[in-house]
Amino acid sequence: MRIFSGIQPTGDKHLGNYSGGFRQYAAYQERGDAFFCIVDLHSITVDYDPADLHEQTINMAAMLFATGLDPERSTVFVQSHVPAHAEAAWLLGSVTSFGELRRMTQFKDKADRQDFVSAGLFSYPVLQAADILLYQTDAVPVGEDQRQHIEVARDIAERFNGRFGETFRLPEMIAPAVGAKIMDLQEPERKMSTTGGTPQGTVRLLDPPDVIRKKFKTAVTDSGADVRRDADSKPGITNLIEIMSVATGDEMDAVEARYDGQGYGHFKEEVADAVIALLDPIRSRYDELRSDPRELQRLLAIGAEKAREASDPTLQAMLERMGFVKSEAGRLFGAVRPREL
Ligand code: AQP
């Protein structure tokens, strides 16, 4: 089974990214041939600082390995190191309609938060489709917020296959059964997010323990006292039960049973302790890995080489079926041989 998922290097990574992203990556690398991409070309679609992008790309590599990716088993690479992504995105743009991009809720949400709305932000799902389709991906482990984007990637693939001949495998989205959408601790009706959430309601993976404790202590709940799930009337407590389940691996029913009748204050403290216990070893591994940027760059270079080799046949097939003329070297325009880089 071919697995692919991407994560942006910019924006501090939080518990939601761990639950829908990192945690699933580490689990899915065991199930097949896995590619994990640091999608730096996506990061430039909103306002950003070039110095930060550089720094955070290396930070993200450290975080991917710290949360359990094994460089021997998984291909971990940076999107901009594989030119096929940008090239395929341009080609796929011609089989994507303006109307389907205009409907994307993530575009609307992010556009509302920008002074300058870039064309790149609008066509973000096309680049994401290229990322996924280039690898003949079967499964895409992501959080629930990505559902609409994965559906568009499938629609684009079907349209391309229908028009130019069978070229892409249709990818399936894989969201975790628990923790597919971790909500903001202060405003539990919206998802936890660095740019779209509240600072106090967003638990960053690198927050120190005392900051994490404070964030859970002040988490918004309801006026009741039962530690029980009810998404409509108890969104805050429901979210905390889900977070507890993600942090400990215990079933949500077992969490409810354990804290039955104990009140919210005690439960919040214990959720904070469980999250700290989860993140402590990740933070230590991260610090250790981050102290050796050369080694991280070496691992990313190996990943890029493997990713270029894996994606090139699909890009070549796309170009050929779309009618492009071959170069003198017998290659189709647009593709870069791995050893030329
Ligand atoms: N709240 C969440 N719950 C579960 N999964 C989540 N993911 C994001 N938020 C949650 C998943 O994390 C993976 C990587 O996401 P990303 O960093 O590439 O981009 P994003 O989805 O835009 O994450 P943010 O923090 O929400 O970014 P900003 O701050 O830019 O709005 C994806 O698999 C995503 O589903």
Side-chain angles (χ1 to χ4, degrees), residues 6-293:
I7 185 158
Q8 294 192 55
T10 44
D12 290 343
K13 294 300 144 181
H14 51 78
L15 204 52
N17 297 130
Y18 173 78
S19 183
F22 299 109
R23 178 175 64 125
Q24 292 212 90
Y25 309 157
Y28 272 89
Q29 71 178 340
E30 311 291 333
R31 309 247 189 119
D33 185 18
F35 288 73
F36 299 105
C37 182
I38 302 174
V39 293
D40 53 352
L41 297 174
H42 285 280
S43 285
I44 65 169
T45 58
V46 291
D47 192 26
Y48 80 102
D49 176 355
D52 274 358
L53 177 64
H54 192 272
E55 177 84 7
Q56 289 180 312
T57 300
I58 305 297
N59 293 350
M60 178 50 76
M63 188 54 84
L64 287 165
F65 296 123
T67 48
L69 287 187
D70 173 359
E72 299 285 319
R73 190 184 283 266
S74 292
T75 302
V76 179
F77 68 104
V78 178
Q79 189 183 30
S80 63
H81 294 177
V82 184
H85 289 246
E87 293 164 356
W90 179 256
L91 304 179
L92 293 178
S94 65
V95 289
T96 310
S97 76
F98 176 78
E100 63 193 336
L101 293 180
R102 201 172 41 181
R103 285 194 291 276
M104 295 290 104
T105 54
Q106 198 173 82
F107 169 70
K108 289 187 222 162
D109 290 349
K110 290 197 173 175
D112 279 348
R113 302 200 293 266
Q114 300 294 313
D115 291 331
F116 175 81
V117 180
S118 71
L121 185 63
F122 185 67
S123 53
Y124 186 116
V126 184
L127 179 58
Q128 188 171 347
D131 299 338
I132 297 167
L133 300 177
L134 272 173
Y135 295 87
Q136 301 297 341
T137 300
D138 298 292
V140 189
V142 282
E144 190 55 43
D145 59 332
Q146 292 300 319
R147 185 169 296 283
Q148 206 183 17
H149 284 177
I150 307 299
E151 273 162 17
V152 166
R154 287 171 61 92
D155 290 345
I156 292 172
E158 279 191 302
R159 202 169 299 128
F160 189 102
N161 287 348
R163 177 146 175 222
F164 299 109
E166 211 52 34
T167 306
F168 299 121
R169 209 172 285 178
L170 293 191
E172 298 284 343
M173 164 173 163
I174 304 192
V178 178
K181 194 172 185 186
I182 298 292
M183 310 307 272
D184 187 283
L185 300 186
Q186 289 295 314
E187 294 183 14
E189 43 300 309
R190 58 167 150 159
K191 76 158 190 162
M192 190 177 283
S193 160
T194 314
T195 55
T198 67
Q200 184 68 9
T202 304
V203 179
R204 292 170 160 79
L205 299 182
L206 298 176
D207 274 344
D210 55 324
V211 172
I212 295 179
R213 262 197 199 96
K214 212 172 273 170
K215 286 182 177 175
F216 279 103
K217 195 171 179 169
T218 57
V220 167
T221 49
D222 51 87
S223 55
D226 292 344
V227 178
R228 173 174 59 74
R229 279 166 290 161
D230 184 333
D232 294 332
S233 65
K234 299 159 84 67
I237 280 294
T238 304
N239 190 37
L240 292 177
I241 292 171
E242 202 148 334
I243 291 173
M244 187 63 148
S245 172
V246 169
T248 58
D250 295 339
E251 299 280 340
M252 292 195 286
D253 285 346
V255 174
E256 286 181 354
R258 192 174 335 132
Y259 293 97
D260 185 26
Q262 296 195 27
Y264 290 170
H266 173 65
F267 178 55
K268 285 185 191 178
E269 276 172 25
E270 300 247 316
V271 179
D273 286 344
V275 169
I276 291 165
L278 168 78
L279 298 182
D280 255 355
I282 292 176
R283 195 177 318 106
S284 308
R285 278 198 299 277
Y286 172 85
D287 289 342
E288 201 181 314
L289 289 157
R290 189 64 188 86
S291 69
D292 191 353

